[in-house]
Amino acid sequence: MGSLEEDELVRMVQDFIESESTSPISSTSSNCHALNHQTQYFILQDILRSEGDTAEEGKVLKCVFKHMRGRQSAQKTSLSRWLVMRMKMDGLNASICHTSWSTSLGCPAGEYEFIEVITESESYANPVRLIVDIDFRSQFELARPTQHYKELTDSLPVIFVGTENKLCKIISLLCSAAKQSLKEKGLHVPPWRTTTYMQSKWLSVCRKEHEHYVGAKGDVIGVEHDDLIGNWVPPLLKPKKRDLGGGSGLSSQLSNMSVNCC
């Protein structure tokens, strides 16, 4: 056998050995990602299917669906107030809640609005707080999602009715999946997609708006505002002493804002 043929044979054997040694690793990594994605999906479905932390959840959800059928085209703000009016006429203790929060570590200031329903439950000594959001799914959407993350968000309900406990589980899972999706796309996690920011929407300090109606059509006759303190408040960003050395105060602030809250 000639020298050239021997060199080609050696090269072919080396290529075969390298392909055999690397393919199982690549396959294992791919299988792990697929398994992790399936696990996240099934966990989310279990959370969404759980009826409840409270039996009243199904009652409120049925009421919301009854009134919301065919009315998704209106603006969220006016639609929320219309829905609260109808829920009150059905005997539910519903109200509009406005949340607002200040800038915290890696989390910009913001505000949000949703519906709150206070229910009595035989399973609990104290009243149960249910959160109703008629535009829930869109709060978790990303501009360039991976296929796995899109499957997760597509399985979220457009209208959410549930306890704070259920909501916190969904936020934790979706924010983790969003971080993974953005990483796979080579993108940074924006501060409005962190766990802290998403929790602030529904769980920070809120002002509850009580609306009173009279008449067969439920005309509004008065609005009353109560300040409520939520159970969860995002960590505040403590001011630092100005560094008079070579460092830039602006660069220090930008460094602080780059911390990931997920």
Side-chain angles (χ1 to χ4, degrees), residues 57-89:
E57 193 173 309
K59 176 183 176 182
V60 174
L61 185 61
K62 183 179 180 180
C63 175
V64 172
F65 282 166
K66 178 183 70 173
H67 295 301
M68 287 292 293
R69 191 173 293 114
R71 297 189 63 92
Q72 283 82 355
S73 59
Q75 291 185 352
K76 180 181 179 181
T77 300
S78 59
L79 190 56
S80 293
R81 281 161 177 73
W82 177 87
L83 179 59
V84 166
M85 177 185 69
R86 290 292 186 260
M87 295 172 76
K88 282 180 174 292
M89 293 174 66

Side-chain angles (χ1 to χ4, degrees), residues 19 21 40 47 83 89 134 149 174 182 185 200 241:
S19 64
S21 63
Q40 286 182 326
I47 296 172
L83 179 59
M89 293 174 66
I134 61 175
Y149 186 77
L174 265 294
L182 291 165
K185 292 290 186 176
S200 297
K241 295 182 179 179

Side-chain angles (χ1 to χ4, degrees), residues 156-171:
L156 289 175
V158 175
I159 300 174
F160 173 81
V161 176
T163 61
E164 292 182 0
N165 182 45
K166 175 181 285 191
L167 179 61
C168 283
K169 291 178 181 178
I170 295 174
I171 291 174

Side-chain angles (χ1 to χ4, degrees), residues 76-204:
K76 180 181 179 181
T77 300
S78 59
L79 190 56
S80 293
R81 281 161 177 73
W82 177 87
L83 179 59
V84 166
M85 177 185 69
R86 290 292 186 260
M87 295 172 76
K88 282 180 174 292
M89 293 174 66
D90 285 348
L92 295 176
N93 183 10
S95 57
I96 297 291
C97 274
H98 303 270
T99 53
S100 60
W101 57 95
S102 303
T103 299
S104 60
L105 189 61
C107 178
E111 59 183 23
Y112 194 65
E113 181 179 287
F114 58 93
I115 298 173
E116 173 191 89
V117 179
I118 304 299
T119 67
E120 300 290 341
S121 174
E122 297 179 356
S123 304
Y124 294 85
N126 298 320
V128 177
R129 178 179 188 247
L130 294 179
I131 293 172
V132 179
D133 195 313
I134 61 175
D135 190 27
F136 186 69
R137 181 188 296 170
S138 67
Q139 306 308 312
F140 296 89
E141 292 177 352
L142 296 177
R144 294 169 54 191
T146 59
Q147 181 61 33
H148 167 63
Y149 186 77
K150 189 175 185 305
E151 290 175 357
L152 290 178
T153 54
D154 285 347
S155 68
L156 289 175
V158 175
I159 300 174
F160 173 81
V161 176
T163 61
E164 292 182 0
N165 182 45
K166 175 181 285 191
L167 179 61
C168 283
K169 291 178 181 178
I170 295 174
I171 291 174
S172 178
L173 191 150
L174 265 294
C175 285
S176 176
K179 182 178 180 180
Q180 182 179 357
S181 174
L182 291 165
K183 183 179 179 181
E184 291 181 17
K185 292 290 186 176
L187 303 172
H188 294 289
V189 180
W192 53 89
R193 279 295 173 265
T194 60
T195 303
T196 301
Y197 189 92
M198 296 299 287
Q199 286 179 334
S200 297
K201 285 187 173 184
W202 295 280
L203 304 178
S204 58

